Amino acid sequence: MQKDTDGLNMPKFMTAVRDVLHFIRPKIRNFKYYAKCRFGRAKYRNVFYLVFIPNKKHPGLADRIKAIMSCYDLAKSNGYQFKLIFETPFHLRKYLKPKYDWIATLEDLEYSLRDTKIVNEHYREDPLRLIPDKQYHCYNYDGHHMPRIFPDTGYKFAELFHELFEPCEDLKQAYSDFGIKEKGYVSCHLRFVNALEKFENTFFENHLETQEERDSLIERCKDGIKRVLEKNQGKDIYVFSDSKVFLDSLSDMPVKVLPHNNIGHVSEGAKADATFKSFLDLYIMAKGTAVYRFCAPELYSISHYALLAATVGDISFDDVNV
């Protein structure tokens, strides 16, 4: 599932540079790990480690979770134990509790000329066979692989997710405190990035210069929400977005908006409350009956965050073009 960047407001030169770096960087990064290998056997074999390297800028939450599930699918289908090193910029287990012990640390990694194998996570349709009795490390990932059913193994994405994780008690309590009726609502998700206000440093240049342009986009998006309301009569409509400006503009509409003073993107080193909200929004969307992703030239329409929520919840997903 490659992200289709056609039509996005991305400089062509920057796009070309990103493509070249995407090809070269994993090879350079992996070389330094191969250089650490020594004679002797690894003590623990038939183990697959996915490593989120500290002090490296990682993408958003959706891409990271997609990479986790892709690697777990690979490990499970090959009879390997799956281990995850995810401690930066937050400990994943703080928000998603392990259903079995997948937690590992950098100290668990072994570098053996005979046993250590390094792979990169990327989109695949054909089965990838791991060599038995080895220790696999994955340091580089695309995070583009999110089918409802993995074509190489037949495993369902949602089932694999729930084999690994359950929400922490704080997420469950927040859901309860809001009085949300499970399966009694649908969700709308709009990713404005910097269209209406400064949100994050990104390659996606979509800031709207004039108030007239910003107001026009807001009205188009609100018209799209009205279409969702008409299609889902009798259900609550929850709206999620990275724009405080847009969420504040919905006070005249019969929709549900959660507190949003702590919005942040996890790739920007967000504070704990902003990180918690990212997981909470995902959790709430996944427990509804449908998720709608809003698309427009000015929006970051290739965001997979809403699609991830629908895939984890195994519920309906649709795009709303505005």
Side-chain angles (χ1 to χ4, degrees):
M1 182 180 292
Q2 300 291 339
K3 283 191 174 181
D4 183 4
T5 56
D6 291 343
L8 289 183
N9 188 19
M10 293 170 55
K12 298 300 182 183
F13 173 75
M14 186 177 294
T15 302
V17 170
R18 291 176 72 245
D19 289 342
V20 172
L21 291 176
H22 181 268
F23 177 77
I24 294 176
R25 276 177 175 167
K27 293 176 172 55
I28 296 174
R29 289 170 177 161
N30 286 342
F31 178 78
K32 67 180 180 181
Y33 298 111
Y34 278 120
K36 296 171 70 173
C37 291
R38 298 292 183 265
F39 292 105
R41 301 216 66 180
K43 181 178 179 181
Y44 297 103
R45 299 188 292 275
N46 292 312
V47 182
F48 186 108
Y49 291 94
L50 171 59
V51 184
F52 288 90
I53 306 167
N55 304 316
K56 170 190 171 184
K57 183 177 175 61
H58 291 276
L61 180 61
D63 286 345
R64 285 183 244 192
I65 291 181
K66 287 183 291 179
I68 292 170
M69 303 319 301
S70 176
C71 287
Y72 180 47
D73 169 75
L74 174 59
K76 180 177 178 178
S77 64
N78 282 274
Y80 264 63
Q81 183 181 10
F82 177 72
K83 289 286 188 176
L84 175 61
I85 301 173
F86 194 139
E87 300 176 343
T88 179
F90 54 86
H91 288 267
L92 181 63
R93 63 180 180 269
K94 180 178 179 181
Y95 305 98
L96 296 177
K97 295 166 53 180
K99 282 191 173 178
Y100 81 83
D101 187 15
W102 46 256
I103 298 170
T105 66
L106 293 173
E107 288 71 29
D108 295 322
L109 300 173
E110 300 175 86
Y111 297 93
S112 162
L113 287 170
R114 180 176 176 181
D115 296 323
T116 301
K117 302 294 181 182
I118 298 177
V119 295
N120 301 317
E121 185 276 327
H122 53 78
Y123 181 79
R124 63 184 184 277
E125 290 187 354
D126 296 325
L128 179 60
R129 299 302 177 196
L130 303 182
I131 302 171
D133 207 33
K134 302 297 180 182
Q135 185 181 118
Y136 277 82
H137 301 179
C138 177
Y139 300 96
N140 300 287
Y141 60 93
D142 291 337
H144 294 164
H145 203 40
M146 190 171 51
R148 292 280 175 143
I149 299 176
F150 283 93
D152 56 337
T153 63
Y155 295 142
K156 290 188 67 173
F157 189 102
E159 291 177 356
L160 293 181
F161 181 90
H162 294 294
E163 285 179 13
L164 286 180
F165 306 120
E166 66 173 320
C168 68
E169 293 306 316
D170 287 343
L171 286 173
K172 294 178 182 178
Q173 188 61 52
Y175 188 87
S176 176
D177 290 345
F178 284 127
I180 302 173
K181 183 180 179 182
E182 185 173 351
K183 301 302 180 185
Y185 61 93
V186 302
S187 302
C188 298
H189 183 258
L190 303 93
R191 185 86 158 84
F192 287 91
V193 189
N194 299 319
L196 303 181
E197 73 264 59
K198 178 64 175 178
F199 179 69
E200 65 177 294
N201 298 312
T202 177
F203 62 87
F204 182 47
E205 298 178 357
N206 71 325
H207 178 65
L208 299 177
E209 297 293 339
T210 69
Q211 189 61 47
E212 182 180 4
E213 290 177 306
R214 294 192 287 272
D215 289 342
S216 175
L217 177 59
I218 289 173
E219 289 306 312
R220 283 160 45 206
C221 291
K222 291 172 79 170
D223 286 341
I225 293 175
K226 291 176 182 176
R227 301 203 304 268
V228 175
L229 282 163
E230 292 173 1
K231 189 175 181 180
N232 294 275
Q233 296 182 23
K235 291 185 178 180
D236 289 333
I237 309 295
Y238 281 83
V239 181
F240 302 89
S241 177
D242 57 358
S243 171
K244 296 178 183 178
V245 170
F246 180 72
L247 293 173
D248 287 341
S249 77
L250 299 177
S251 58
D252 61 343
M253 297 192 70
V255 297
K256 305 284 188 179
V257 177
L258 301 180
H260 49 274
N261 291 325
N262 54 350
I263 298 175
H265 195 273
V266 296
S267 70
E268 297 287 304
K271 296 180 179 178
D273 59 347
T275 300
F276 180 81
K277 179 167 175 55
S278 294
F279 280 96
L280 180 61
D281 288 356
L282 185 72
Y283 179 53
I284 293 173
M285 286 193 288
K287 291 175 75 67
T289 59
V291 178
Y292 295 89
R293 177 178 62 183
F294 279 55
C295 302
E298 305 94 326
L299 299 177
Y300 189 62
S301 304
I302 63 170
S303 170
H304 284 175
Y305 183 73
L307 179 57
L308 174 64
T311 307
V312 167
D314 200 19
I315 58 177
S316 174
F317 173 83
D318 202 1
D319 284 329
V320 177
N321 294 305
V322 296

